[in-house]
Amino acid sequence: MELYFRAGMKRFKNIISLAFLLLVSSAYAEDSRVFFIKPSNGDVVDKTFEVVFGISGMTLAPAGTYDSGTGHHHLIIDAPLPDLSMPVPANTQYLHFGKGQDKTMLTLEPGKHKLQMILGDGNHIPHSPPIYSEIIEIEVKP
């Protein structure tokens, strides 16, 4: 009997922990946003250029941080928004900035590219509702 009680309590604690994480991940100001400081929409840039991320209404924090009102940047390159209920993929089109970085140097092939940002929680999952930037289009010089 005691074994069943312990198993039930463990499940209960897991459910409470999950509910807390869901509550914390969605607790932020409604006007929170992410945006590009640099480059701007329509910019023509060198093959390697600086990207500076802006954030308002939230605080940058490394992945693994679950405090209310925190998150970290993900840069989307020439791709659509990811599945908003899952962690942001990690590949050449979805770059993670899980140390809480607010800028990076990016190298892209010459031509036009679309960039977008999305904020992820401590588990790289977009907030609910998601916080993402407008899409900007840049041109990389040959």
Side-chain angles (χ1 to χ4, degrees):
M1 181 77 161
E2 185 176 328
L3 182 62
Y4 288 114
F5 177 75
R6 285 184 187 174
M9 286 303 292
K10 186 174 181 178
R11 276 191 221 125
F12 177 73
K13 287 179 183 178
N14 288 342
I15 290 169
I16 294 299
S17 295
L18 180 60
F20 175 75
L21 285 175
L22 290 172
L23 177 65
V24 167
S25 70
S26 63
Y28 63 87
E30 285 185 30
D31 61 348
S32 297
R33 65 189 189 101
V34 292
F35 51 93
F36 289 97
I37 295 173
K38 186 178 172 183
S40 297
N41 190 45
D43 279 358
V44 178
V45 299
D46 291 326
K47 187 173 182 176
T48 299
F49 59 98
E50 185 176 40
V51 179
V52 181
F53 309 121
I55 188 168
S56 175
M58 296 284 282
T59 301
L60 281 182
T65 301
Y66 303 102
D67 296 336
S68 177
T70 66
H72 63 277
H73 295 297
H74 298 85
L75 179 60
I76 304 168
I77 304 168
D78 297 326
L81 284 171
D83 180 341
L84 300 177
S85 66
M86 300 293 294
V88 175
N91 57 44
T92 58
Q93 291 185 295
Y94 299 91
L95 304 182
H96 288 237
F97 296 91
K99 294 180 182 176
Q101 304 98 305
D102 62 0
K103 61 185 167 187
T104 191
M105 293 301 291
L106 186 63
T107 301
L108 294 175
E109 291 299 316
K112 292 190 178 199
H113 296 279
K114 292 182 180 180
L115 304 177
Q116 188 172 27
M117 299 164 41
I118 188 164
L119 204 64
D121 68 9
N123 287 322
H124 305 279
I125 299 172
H127 295 77
S128 181
I131 302 170
Y132 54 88
S133 72
E134 296 291 325
I135 296 171
I136 66 167
E137 189 170 301
I138 60 165
E139 185 171 350
V140 176
K141 295 180 205 174

